[in-house]
Amino acid sequence: MNSSLTARCVFLGAPGAGKGTQAKRVAQHGTGEAESGLTHISTGDLLREQVASGSALGAEAKTYMDAGKLVPDQLIIDMVKGKIERPEGLGGSAGWILDGFPRTLPQAEALDTNLSGENALTHVISFAVPEEVLMGRLTGRRTCSKCGAIWHIEHKPTSKDGVCDQCGGDLTQRSDDRPEAIGKRLEVYRSQTAPLLAYYGDRGVLREIDANRSPDVVFQELLTHMQ
Ligand code: AMP
């Protein structure tokens, strides 16, 4: 993929499938200073920012997130629409990756309503990982509170426990990466998000990646799909 890539993509997959890790890599991909130019939009990150800022929206969202449930469609649709409509949001970049949105059929339909013609989706990438692997990925996941880098206590440990190798920030565990919430999130994925595979499969934009491999291998294959 070169640095002038234009793509409007959705990354679909269960929690822990690697959507966020790969979306960050694709957005940063390029030669030298140049990045791919794609804007990475993670609805989970946007919600966590709202929670951290203490906003009313964040307070409402937190109760759903901690329980492993989806926040109401209208709340998330309005949030993503706000991004699309602002010039520095989706509309202003060479393209974008939506990571964690849509997660329900009404969200996918709302996206279609807002993106048509030259703004229509170009790729939907499905990250396939067996469920038994996801649990281990999620319970061991740690995120840097400063730069957002994602680590894993076994598969991708930092050189010093609890400290980010990239920026020295403190590592934290997401409150919804506890086993009780993870079970609920996987169930929600099966019942509400997995039906989107058929929704996008019918349109010929869906590509599936075997994401139960090393991040480097997944990344290389992802680039070939996004050319
Ligand atoms: P993520 O970081 O993508 O795993 O999202 C963390 C949590 O944020 C999810 O478990 C949901 O509670 C909420 N969330 C993120 N994106 C959405 C969405 N598109 N629809 C509803 N809830 C969402």
Side-chain angles (χ1 to χ4, degrees), residues 39-190:
T39 305
H40 172 203
I41 311 282
S42 154
T43 43
D45 285 350
L46 292 173
L47 289 169
R48 282 183 287 278
E49 279 166 24
Q50 290 290 330
V51 172
S53 76
S55 71
L57 189 152
E60 184 185 350
K62 188 173 183 345
T63 57
Y64 295 97
M65 294 167 79
D66 285 350
K69 296 179 182 166
L70 296 183
V71 306
D73 281 335
Q74 204 51 53
L75 188 155
I76 201 95
I77 289 167
D78 288 346
M79 199 176 77
V80 173
K81 257 168 101 178
K83 275 268 169 204
I84 295 173
E85 282 157 10
R86 284 210 314 272
E88 71 278 21
L90 295 182
S93 72
W96 34 263
I97 301 166
L98 281 171
D99 155 19
F101 181 93
R103 264 175 152 108
T104 64
L105 280 172
Q107 291 179 19
E109 286 160 1
L111 187 63
D112 281 344
T113 310
N114 282 277
L115 300 174
S116 55
E118 60 182 23
N119 287 321
L121 278 177
T122 56
H123 306 75
V124 178
I125 313 271
S126 158
F127 289 70
V129 178
E131 218 171 88
E132 59 276 16
V133 176
L134 295 170
M135 186 60 98
R137 284 193 181 183
L138 291 165
T139 50
R141 177 163 68 179
R142 300 291 182 273
T143 310
C144 175
S145 53
K146 208 163 142 197
C147 73
I150 301 168
W151 303 93
H152 190 282
I153 52 172
E154 280 169 29
H155 311 316
K156 198 185 172 198
T158 50
S159 37
K160 195 172 163 209
D161 267 0
V163 180
C164 179
D165 278 355
Q166 224 163 264
C167 75
D170 291 336
L171 301 191
T172 55
Q173 181 173 31
R174 281 173 43 170
S175 53
D176 58 352
D177 277 348
R178 289 166 293 108
E180 321 80 80
I182 292 171
K184 180 68 188 167
R185 288 163 67 205
L186 293 176
E187 180 197 315
V188 164
Y189 173 77
R190 276 194 303 271

